[in-house]
Amino acid sequence: MDTDLRYVTVNPALERINGLSVEDHVGRPVSEILPHVETRAIESAQWRVLETGVPLLDQHVVGRTWADRDQDSAWSVSLYRLEDPIGRVQGVAASIADVTERHRVETEAARARRRLALIADASALVGTVLNVDQTARELAEVAVPELADIAAVDVLDTVLACYRTAGLRSGPELFRALALAAAYPTEATRAGDQEGDLATYAADRLVTQCVHTGRPVLIRHVDERDLTRIARDPEAATLLARAGVHSYLAVPLSARGVVLGVLELKRARNPLPFDQDDAVLAVELANRAAVSIDNARWYQSVRNTAVTLQRSLLPEHPSHLPGLEIASRYQPAQATTEVGGDWFDIIPLTGDKTALVVGDVMGSGIDAAATMGRLRTATCTLAELDFDPAQVLQHLDRITSGLEHYIATCLYAVYDPHHGECHIANAGHMPPVLVRPGRPPELLDLSPGAPLGVGGVTFHSRTVDLGPGDDLVLYTDGLVETRRHPIDERLDTLLGLLDGSDCRPVGETCELLLHTLRDPGDHDDVALLITRILPAQS
């Protein structure tokens, strides 16, 4: 190169590398010879060597030349300043060594490391909870930007309803969009189905073909016709084209022999088309996520059944309870644990009395809910016999002993408005809270007893005087027990929240307790019953 950094001469090897003759080189700078190579760094280095005389050794350059315009090559470039015998600067000499093979090996090794890291991330980040929507979002977020610029997770609506079966199908399919993620703001996200949307795709659409065949669909170079088979409508196809989507990959979400849905991947800003290695990686990610999605959908189905059963077994408030105002709440577990067997009951008795019951069957799921229903039925029957609370628990203990080793805690109280008295007995349950106007809330000191089902235990009743404005708060342990705090600390928090609650409607107090004491990830359900004593009617 001369002092203007234009070619003076090249050897035959460089002619072959650049795909141009000596004559094509002479008089032109490197930027004109190599338009598909980032040459600004090269020219900057040439000027620096020309000015300082300090050589530049082994500068790596990657790009495409006229000799091979379809794939990248790599070179090691060294630059030296040329001087005549008396020290006058004549220009710059460049020596170029083709290191493409070494570069490809290093690139593949780095790519393999990134893929392993992506699989490791997926193992740690996808399927963190038994929730279909969250698992889908986690999968989409892991896929971008390392594997794709835009990722979407769509599940067959029949799968979410838990009646999809294995086997080949034909015809259109109804998909529910669960997740959509992009590596950067792009119009392509507006072309995709938004989370929660339902969309029917015909049999000729690529996403439908993917779930019908159970095999990946790879379109290395997307054309206009392909976009019409990817997008939901012509407007969406236009958005994808404007966003620069040029490569497409769809892989099935398969678990236990059933195709649940599809992971769709698109590239726009990333210039490389998807290849078979990308398809293998996408299938690996999809298979891992599909197992979590499958577990979550069956768990959610069982949980919904248990919640429905449990709610159907809980009572409606009686229309008239002499001398009482009552509010109650039931809240199922929000974490991965199944719904439990918590219950409450309000039972009108003869003589204007009212029985108040809160209990908790140990265990979870449909069995616990069914056992709770049996105990509630037995409690209502025993209450009609006007037994003392301790006697009721005695009978319940014998009944529970025969229920396949189930045990339960229970607090049973009877309020008599004519005498202003409440008779209470406890079977291993959390102590109730008494709130009197103008006085600090207190935990009632009851004989704790043993849980129902232990057998051979004597229960004791205690009588508590109640007056107008007094609140009696009954609850199950899910309200106060956590895995992070001592139970005494949580009970103190409960008492603090109830301080002054006599000035609030009992329904508001229920909401306050649930909102303050419950976390989204709590592993137990809660039954809460608050009773306020009303002034005597004249």
Side-chain angles (χ1 to χ4, degrees), residues 317-504:
H317 285 194
S319 57
H320 176 65
L321 294 169
L324 295 179
E325 177 187 356
I326 290 181
S328 62
R329 298 290 187 274
Y330 170 74
Q331 189 176 88
Q334 300 301 306
T336 57
T337 314
E338 293 178 346
V339 62
D342 291 21
W343 90 93
F344 66 86
D345 218 332
I346 307 149
I347 309 168
L349 304 176
T350 58
D352 293 334
K353 292 184 289 186
T354 302
L356 308 168
V357 188
V358 170
D360 182 1
V361 175
M362 296 184 185
S364 60
I366 294 176
D367 288 345
T371 299
M372 175 272 286
R374 295 167 73 177
L375 287 179
R376 179 177 171 249
T377 300
T379 305
C380 292
T381 302
L382 292 168
E384 291 292 337
L385 300 176
D386 200 23
F387 286 146
D388 177 81
Q391 291 178 296
V392 171
L393 295 184
Q394 205 80 43
H395 288 289
L396 288 176
D397 180 48
R398 284 197 293 271
I399 292 171
T400 310
S401 298
L403 296 179
E404 299 177 358
H405 308 293
Y406 271 102
I407 61 174
T409 65
C410 182
L411 196 143
Y412 184 90
V414 176
Y415 174 65
D416 183 347
H418 299 299
H419 296 89
E421 293 177 344
C422 187
H423 306 279
I424 310 175
N426 190 4
H429 201 78
M430 301 299 297
V433 179
L434 177 59
V435 184
R436 298 185 189 274
R439 295 168 61 177
E442 60 175 309
L443 295 170
L444 287 180
D445 185 16
L446 302 177
S447 174
L452 303 176
V454 173
V457 179
T458 301
F459 299 95
H460 302 280
S461 297
R462 176 185 168 183
T463 301
V464 179
D465 293 329
L466 297 178
D470 289 350
D471 288 351
L472 187 63
V473 182
L474 313 182
Y475 55 94
T476 55
D477 56 7
L479 183 67
V480 291
E481 285 189 349
T482 74
R483 299 178 179 181
R484 304 181 307 275
H485 305 94
I487 186 62
D488 290 344
E489 178 184 317
R490 294 283 289 177
L491 289 173
D492 287 342
T493 302
L494 172 63
L495 295 177
L497 291 170
L498 290 172
D499 195 7
S501 63
D502 55 294
C503 300
R504 290 189 299 267

Side-chain angles (χ1 to χ4, degrees), residues 181-355:
Y184 54 87
T186 171
E187 285 184 300
T189 56
R190 290 198 289 124
D193 297 317
Q194 304 304 302
E195 293 184 14
D197 286 354
L198 281 171
T200 299
Y201 286 89
D204 64 339
R205 296 302 183 91
L206 298 183
V207 65
T208 309
Q209 291 180 13
C210 182
V211 297
H212 282 174
T213 64
R215 295 194 295 269
V217 175
L218 171 61
I219 309 295
R220 288 177 56 86
H221 302 288
V222 168
D223 59 24
E224 184 176 347
R225 179 175 176 274
D226 294 324
L227 288 177
T228 63
R229 300 171 66 205
I230 294 170
R232 64 173 178 266
D233 53 38
E235 181 183 355
T238 301
L239 289 172
L240 292 178
R242 280 211 308 255
V245 171
H246 64 85
S247 194
Y248 175 83
L249 174 61
V251 296
L253 296 164
S254 300
R256 302 177 178 97
V258 176
V259 177
L260 310 178
V262 64
L263 168 64
E264 283 191 290
L265 304 171
K266 304 180 184 75
R267 283 182 179 171
R269 186 173 291 180
N270 183 339
L272 298 177
F274 289 112
D275 57 23
Q276 287 300 326
D277 286 344
D278 295 318
V280 170
L281 177 59
V283 168
E284 176 71 19
L285 295 178
N287 286 343
R288 289 169 180 261
V291 173
S292 296
I293 290 174
D294 196 42
N295 290 340
R297 66 160 180 147
W298 286 112
Y299 159 77
Q300 192 64 45
S301 175
V302 173
R303 183 179 186 278
N304 289 344
T305 301
V307 169
T308 301
L309 173 61
Q310 179 131 0
R311 289 192 184 279
S312 70
L313 295 172
L314 294 174
E316 297 290 336
H317 285 194
S319 57
H320 176 65
L321 294 169
L324 295 179
E325 177 187 356
I326 290 181
S328 62
R329 298 290 187 274
Y330 170 74
Q331 189 176 88
Q334 300 301 306
T336 57
T337 314
E338 293 178 346
V339 62
D342 291 21
W343 90 93
F344 66 86
D345 218 332
I346 307 149
I347 309 168
L349 304 176
T350 58
D352 293 334
K353 292 184 289 186
T354 302

Side-chain angles (χ1 to χ4, degrees), residues 92-111:
V92 173
S95 66
I96 297 98
D98 191 320
V99 294
T100 300
E101 286 306 315
R102 186 178 75 186
H103 170 75
R104 287 175 181 167
V105 170
E106 292 174 348
T107 300
E108 283 303 313
R111 189 181 186 191

Side-chain angles (χ1 to χ4, degrees), residues 19-36:
L20 296 171
S21 66
V22 174
E23 292 75 15
D24 290 329
H25 282 79
V26 172
R28 299 167 70 184
V30 67
S31 58
E32 293 183 12
I33 297 300
L34 302 173
H36 305 296

